Amino acid sequence: MTATRHVPVMLDRCLHLLAPALAEPGAVVVDCTLGLGGHSEALLSTFPAARLVALDRDKEALRLSGERLAPYGDRATLVHAVYDELPDVLDRLGIPRVQGVLFDLGVSSMQLDEAERGFAYAQDAPLDMRMDQSAGMSAAEVLNTYAPGELVRILRAYGEEKQAKRIVSAIVRERAVEPFTNSARLVELIRDALPQAAKRTGGNPAKRTFQALRIEVNGELSSVEAAIPAAVGALAVGGRIAVLAYHSLEDRLVKQVFAAGAANTAPPGLPVVPEQYQPRLRLLTRGAELPTETEIAENRRAAPARLRGAERIREAVR
Ligand SMILES: C[S@@+](CC[C@H](N)C(=O)[O-])C[C@H]1O[C@@H](n2cnc3c(N)ncnc32)[C@H](O)[C@@H]1O
């Protein structure tokens, strides 16, 4: 396993969005999703005056990118943490404010490619799906123990699966016979449970259920929901944040936080907008930016990416 297999997504655009904030000596940039260190390495080499703090919940990712970033010495500080712990991490490091933050949400190529981690529906593997294998419930435990209504909610909300009830009925029937341990049995069950018409659209019929389980196992949406406002709160005035999301649920959360920060919250009709109602953020992207056709042709995992950026323009006034 080398640390170079994950091709960093929309790399030039991320660097460009963060650049104006990272030129000054002493600038701190946080990569909240270190992964295999592709974006982090580019940040360190492009902005020689900046110091990097990088987080990941996956210890294997930290080990591999630690080797990759070793040449940068103490300019890089790698921390095993969930990204919504960012304020505590910065506190422990004695860093009050940062100039840049990057989130590259979702699963890394390493996690997808290592069959035994159980993220991929295309290979038979234990149904694990935990990004941090030292904590929390596996996908198999979720499938075997959650109430049927809860499973339906998860498949609908996190997988946007229209056939959630049908799939969950089949799961509940099967798990009473024998608990789930491996992905192949779940994939086969989903294929058998779906009507012909539903199987003809949208690629592998197990895709949405796997996405939903992964989001539930890793608490992904609640983590993002807490982490983006915390990251905006950690930015110094003039600091910039860039977020890459890979499905509409995540992207919607990012959009909401940025839009709320960029809004003027004054009651209508005020002739002059007092400071406390003025926006804290300036949007750097119009809507979400997408990867180019050329990038997608070279790296198909970039296809669903949605990039948004914002700049902190004002302190919060109490
Ligand atoms: C898409 S990968 C990042 C790839 C990286 N930008 C690169 O170029 O190599 C996402 C990484 O975020 C990590 N991750 C996902 N959710 C996390 C969370 N809540 N807290 C910390 N890390 C998380 C995953 O373990 C994974 O390694």
Side-chain angles (χ1 to χ4, degrees):
M1 177 81 231
T2 66
T4 47
R5 276 168 54 193
H6 185 100
V7 182
V9 172
M10 297 183 80
L11 177 60
D12 288 345
R13 192 59 191 133
C14 291
L15 296 174
H16 190 256
L17 284 174
L18 296 174
L22 299 182
E24 294 296 316
V28 177
V29 59
V30 184
D31 182 346
C32 287
T33 49
L34 173 66
L36 296 186
H39 286 96
S40 276
E41 181 168 44
L43 287 165
L44 285 162
S45 62
T46 312
F47 307 112
R51 169 182 174 193
L52 171 85
V53 175
L55 277 49
D56 207 295
R57 71 197 303 183
D58 182 334
K59 288 184 181 155
E60 181 62 4
L62 285 161
R63 189 184 66 75
L64 289 165
S65 42
E67 287 168 14
R68 180 174 186 172
L69 303 181
Y72 295 93
D74 61 8
R75 283 183 60 214
T77 307
L78 311 191
V79 185
H80 181 232
V82 180
Y83 44 57
D84 45 80
E85 295 165 353
L86 176 64
D88 295 339
V89 170
L90 293 177
D91 220 33
R92 282 203 300 275
L93 295 172
I95 299 172
R97 287 303 177 89
V98 302
Q99 282 62 42
V101 178
L102 175 70
F103 284 90
D104 179 15
L105 300 169
V107 192
S108 74
S109 299
M110 172 194 71
Q111 290 163 339
L112 284 172
D113 291 343
E114 291 198 339
E116 69 274 14
R117 310 262 326 231
F119 286 99
Y121 42 78
Q123 293 145 304
D124 188 24
L127 276 166
D128 187 334
M129 299 198 195
R130 288 170 304 165
M131 291 188 198
D132 180 351
Q133 292 184 298
S134 62
M137 254 192 182
S138 69
E141 285 174 86
V142 168
L143 274 182
N144 292 329
T145 63
Y146 274 29
E150 194 51 7
L151 287 175
V152 170
R153 186 190 67 76
I154 290 166
L155 261 57
R156 282 198 184 133
Y158 303 159
E160 301 180 274
E161 174 55 86
K162 293 194 183 70
Q163 305 291 336
K165 269 197 153 165
R166 206 185 268 263
I167 293 173
V168 170
S169 300
I171 289 171
V172 170
R173 213 171 36 241
E174 276 289 307
R175 77 184 186 186
V177 179
E178 199 188 334
F180 285 92
T181 55
N182 273 48
S183 53
R185 182 159 158 243
L186 178 63
V187 171
E188 196 185 309
L189 173 139
I190 295 170
R191 199 170 283 130
D192 291 347
L194 290 186
Q196 274 307 326
K199 278 187 259 196
R200 276 195 290 272
T201 52
N204 190 314
K207 186 171 147 188
R208 288 177 295 278
T209 299
F210 271 62
Q211 172 177 304
L213 285 171
R214 195 197 90 202
I215 291 176
E216 172 63 16
V217 163
N218 295 290
E220 286 179 34
L221 292 181
S222 51
S223 232
V224 172
E225 203 169 10
I228 308 287
V232 168
L235 283 179
V237 171
R240 289 176 164 224
I241 176 168
V243 185
L244 279 161
Y246 294 84
H247 55 78
S248 55
L249 302 165
E250 264 172 8
D251 183 49
R252 206 176 302 146
L253 289 176
V254 180
K255 177 181 167 179
Q256 283 164 357
V257 176
F258 283 9
N264 162 359
T265 54
L270 290 186
V272 178
V273 178
E275 185 73 10
Q276 75 259 33
Y277 297 127
Q278 296 206 8
R280 281 193 307 159
L281 291 180
R282 176 171 75 88
L283 302 184
L284 299 171
T285 43
R286 276 162 74 74
E289 290 185 7
L290 311 181
T292 60
E293 292 296 324
T294 317
E295 176 166 4
I296 297 170
E298 284 165 8
N299 177 17
R300 66 183 171 78
R301 285 182 180 157
R306 301 281 174 275
L307 175 64
R308 294 180 190 268
E311 180 184 357
R312 179 86 185 250
I313 52 170
R314 190 170 276 105
E315 286 296 347
V317 180
R318 279 168 236 284

